[in-house]
Amino acid sequence: MSVLAKRMKEARLRAGLSQEKLGVMAGIDEMSASARMNQYEREKHAPDWLTVERLAAVLDVPVAYFYAVDDDTAAMLLAFHALTPESRIKALEIITRMQ
């Protein structure tokens, strides 16, 4: 399974959304939303960049999450994304000092 398909399915399940509901919320036509999302998750087709951006917005994850190859990086992206802007600055300072 590709990283994109894996992360997309993980984020959708974590959000508690069906393929159809996610597709509709991301602006995909209601009549084809379920089929298209299924094709994305099964790697039959890949979504274009704009669709990935809309899916990320609906799922409240950074776009980079969908492309994170390893699980640790994906988890860091999700954790960082959930922080307030002030906490992000602090987290970056801590990580920079750790290097």
Side-chain angles (χ1 to χ4, degrees):
M1 176 178 279
S2 76
V3 170
L4 177 61
K6 175 184 173 184
R7 301 278 180 233
M8 194 177 306
K9 184 174 183 176
E10 288 173 350
R12 179 181 63 77
L13 293 175
R14 192 172 35 257
L17 297 173
S18 67
Q19 290 177 336
E20 180 180 15
K21 180 74 172 171
L22 174 57
V24 170
M25 291 174 72
I28 298 171
D29 180 74
E30 200 172 326
M31 297 301 291
S32 62
S34 181
R36 280 190 49 198
M37 291 306 304
N38 184 272
Q39 290 173 349
Y40 295 156
E41 288 184 9
R42 289 184 312 126
E43 300 178 82
K44 201 117 162 98
H45 296 287
D48 60 34
W49 182 260
L50 182 60
T51 301
V52 172
E53 285 183 323
R54 290 192 314 249
L55 291 168
V58 170
L59 295 167
D60 193 26
V61 299
V63 172
Y65 168 77
F66 291 123
Y67 300 99
V69 175
D70 63 90
D71 292 338
D72 289 342
T73 301
M76 283 286 272
L77 287 166
L78 289 177
F80 188 80
H81 182 76
L83 296 174
T84 65
E86 297 80 21
S87 294
R88 287 181 182 189
I89 292 168
K90 290 178 186 175
L92 285 173
E93 289 170 356
I94 292 168
I95 291 169
T96 300
R97 284 195 304 265
M98 293 174 69
Q99 294 178 335

